[in-house]
Amino acid sequence: MARYRGPVVKLMRREGLNLFFFFFFTLHKEKSSLEKRKGPPGLPPKKKGKITEYGTQLREKQKVKRAYGVLEKQFRRYFEEAAHTPGIPGENLLQFLERRLDNVLYRLGFAVTRRQARNFVAHRHVIVNGHRVDIPSYRVNVGDKIEIRGKFQTSTFIEENIKLAQAIQRTVSWLSPDYTNFSGEVLSLPTRDHIDFPVKEQVIVELYSK
């Protein structure tokens, strides 16, 4: 199962945006290296050049890929499916990414990052509609019920994550968390308004349409 294993703060500095640590960077923003070092990683350029159209398109694509923890080959498959699905390709692409099981677990508040959520799913700690699912890219549908496996409910990770989610009141309207029963339900499909970081999806469509 291919995935990025390198340092994530460097990726955030490159994109100039917090893409990963919702809780940490919300509660301890003043301590984050993203706030202290806002420039991209590496030596500062001798001369700041003009960003080309392709460069802008590439940055948007990289930003979305890194936010959802998807590599290039899988991301392109998502785009091709989005392009052949009725509707607006860019919005279809974002919806497919939002419906990934690891992202849903993150949105419900059972994980503090999508990377942590992916780890929970891969280790078979998540149940969907009564069946264990160990595929992070599993796509949820309306009415699906997501649960944390019984033995894992007492995990320190889950207990702390739920406390943080409740403290920050972190919810999204298309999902309904039930922290008492360590579960959640998909109420509706996500829309463009549910994306919580700035992205110009049409620019990504233009890049892949060349």
Side-chain angles (χ1 to χ4, degrees):
M1 184 169 56
R3 62 185 183 277
Y4 176 76
R5 298 172 182 268
V8 295
V9 175
K10 282 188 176 182
L11 298 185
M12 292 192 294
R13 287 179 56 200
R14 182 64 187 88
E15 305 304 335
L17 190 68
N18 174 17
L19 299 175
F20 303 100
F21 300 102
F22 180 86
F23 290 122
F24 179 84
F25 282 87
T26 299
L27 298 177
H28 306 288
K29 186 176 180 180
E30 71 282 355
K31 297 180 182 179
S32 71
S33 60
L34 184 64
E35 288 297 314
K36 294 180 180 179
R37 305 170 67 185
K38 296 185 178 181
L43 296 174
K46 295 181 180 180
K47 184 178 180 181
K48 190 174 182 180
K50 182 180 179 181
I51 300 178
T52 63
E53 180 183 4
Y54 173 76
T56 302
Q57 295 170 344
L58 181 63
R59 288 268 58 84
E60 287 297 315
K61 183 199 71 167
Q62 294 294 84
K63 177 168 61 178
V64 176
K65 274 176 49 183
R66 289 167 173 173
Y68 289 97
V70 179
L71 298 184
E72 179 63 32
K73 188 175 180 180
Q74 188 177 21
F75 190 82
R76 179 173 284 275
R77 286 201 300 267
Y78 276 124
F79 173 78
E80 290 175 353
E81 183 181 359
H84 291 87
T85 300
I88 304 174
E91 294 186 8
N92 290 340
L93 173 64
L94 294 176
Q95 185 189 94
F96 291 157
L97 292 168
E98 278 290 306
R99 289 170 62 189
R100 286 172 55 96
L101 181 57
D102 55 359
N103 178 73
V104 171
L105 204 66
Y106 164 74
R107 292 293 191 195
L108 285 170
F110 292 115
V112 292
T113 65
R114 292 183 179 92
R115 176 181 279 195
Q116 187 184 60
R118 181 185 182 117
N119 191 42
F120 291 168
V121 176
H123 285 83
R124 308 186 70 190
H125 295 314
V126 180
I127 298 173
V128 180
N129 298 329
H131 301 281
R132 286 190 188 180
V133 177
D134 59 0
I135 303 174
S137 61
Y138 176 90
R139 189 176 300 171
V140 302
N141 293 299
V142 177
D144 283 355
K145 186 175 182 180
I146 295 91
E147 302 173 83
I148 301 299
R149 186 168 61 92
K151 291 183 179 180
F152 196 60
Q153 292 177 4
T154 57
S155 167
T156 304
F157 291 114
I158 295 298
E159 291 178 354
E160 292 181 352
N161 293 350
I162 288 177
K163 288 179 181 178
L164 284 170
Q166 291 175 324
I168 300 176
Q169 297 182 343
R170 180 184 173 210
T171 58
V172 289
S173 60
W174 63 284
L175 297 171
S176 176
D178 182 359
Y179 296 129
T180 302
N181 295 312
F182 300 91
S183 65
E185 185 177 353
V186 181
L187 301 178
S188 63
L189 295 180
T191 65
R192 178 62 182 83
D193 296 334
H194 293 122
I195 307 302
D196 59 353
F197 62 95
V199 56
K200 300 175 182 177
E201 66 274 12
Q202 182 56 36
V203 174
I204 301 174
V205 174
E206 294 171 0
L207 174 65
Y208 279 119
S209 299
K210 291 182 177 180

